[in-house]
């Protein structure tokens, strides 16, 4: 695919995210997608799309998504995106700033890697506990275990 098509694909993905349209987001992913971020770790295939479905269905109804600096070549791409939402476990406001990197195959996203500071996220989401322990594997592993458990419970409804 061309640079322009891949820029359009990233834009389609984030516009769907802004519109809370998980099905359109999933349609941007290759069936062999690999997604990774600091909270969920690595998710493959339908689990990646189901994560977005879960987050949009069960997450903060006041979620605000912004994206910028969309760049792509014929094989890779990137953008910056921001998510403002209330973390469900604590009700605390999170203003997460994320760097997304993509790889493309057959006109779709085959690899999506989001990176952000787990410590900053934990400070916003968890408050004082996150400030003191958010950089430790203890918090990271606990948050990941809870996120994967929620995803598994969500997927068991299908």
């Amino acid at each position: 695919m061309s640079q322009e098509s891949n820029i359009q694909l990233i834009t389609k993905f984030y516009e769907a995210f802004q519109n809370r349209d998980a099905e359109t987001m999933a349609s941007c992913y290759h069936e062999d997608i690999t997604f990774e971020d600091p909270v969920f770790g690595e998710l493959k295939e339908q689990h990646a799309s189901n994560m977005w479905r879960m987050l949009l269905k069960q997450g903060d109804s006041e979620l605000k998504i912004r994206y910028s600096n969309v760049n792509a070549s014929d094989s890779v791409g990137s953008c910056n995106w921001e998510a403002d939402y209330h973390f469900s476990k604590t009700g605390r406001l999170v203003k997460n700033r994320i760097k997304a990197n993509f790889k493309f195959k057959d006109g779709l996203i085959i690899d999506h890697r989001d990176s952000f500071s787990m410590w900053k996220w934990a400070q916003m989401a968890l408050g004082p506990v996150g400030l003191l322990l958010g950089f430790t594997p203890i918090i990271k592993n606990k948050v990941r275990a809870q996120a994967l458990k929620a995803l598994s419970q969500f997927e068991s409804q299908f």
Side-chain angles (χ1 to χ4, degrees), residues 75-104:
S75 60
V76 298
S78 64
C79 76
N80 298 320
W81 66 279
E82 303 174 9
D84 297 352
Y85 60 95
H86 290 90
F87 183 56
S88 61
K89 300 285 185 204
T90 62
R92 296 177 59 88
L93 180 62
V94 173
K95 294 179 174 247
N96 205 8
R97 307 301 174 249
I98 300 117
K99 174 70 174 180
N101 288 292
F102 306 95
K103 293 180 184 173
F104 307 102

Side-chain angles (χ1 to χ4, degrees), residues 66-79:
R66 292 172 302 286
Y67 66 97
S68 61
N69 300 321
V70 176
N71 293 295
S73 69
D74 60 346
S75 60
V76 298
S78 64
C79 76

Side-chain angles (χ1 to χ4, degrees), residues 37-41 43 51 54-55 58 87-90 118 121-122 125-126 129 137-155:
D37 82 352
V39 171
F40 284 91
L43 299 173
M51 178 215 36
M54 177 187 74
L55 292 175
Q58 298 177 349
F87 183 56
S88 61
K89 300 285 185 204
T90 62
M118 188 67 179
W121 179 90
L126 306 174
V129 170
I138 295 167
I139 293 295
K140 183 177 181 178
N141 292 338
K142 184 172 182 170
V143 167
R144 181 166 295 163
Q146 289 175 344
L148 292 173
K149 180 180 178 184
L151 179 58
S152 178
Q153 289 172 339
F154 178 79
E155 290 178 326

Side-chain angles (χ1 to χ4, degrees), residues 22-84:
E23 296 313 310
T24 297
M25 292 173 74
S27 76
C28 296
Y29 277 172
H30 191 280
E31 65 182 11
D32 294 326
I33 182 70
T34 297
F35 171 85
E36 185 175 16
D37 82 352
V39 171
F40 284 91
E42 189 175 271
L43 299 173
K44 292 191 174 282
E45 300 162 351
Q46 78 277 5
H47 302 294
S49 295
N50 287 341
M51 178 215 36
W52 297 116
R53 290 179 180 108
M54 177 187 74
L55 292 175
L56 290 175
K57 184 174 183 180
Q58 298 177 349
D60 185 357
S61 62
E62 296 179 23
L63 169 71
K64 291 180 180 67
I65 300 295
R66 292 172 302 286
Y67 66 97
S68 61
N69 300 321
V70 176
N71 293 295
S73 69
D74 60 346
S75 60
V76 298
S78 64
C79 76
N80 298 320
W81 66 279
E82 303 174 9
D84 297 352

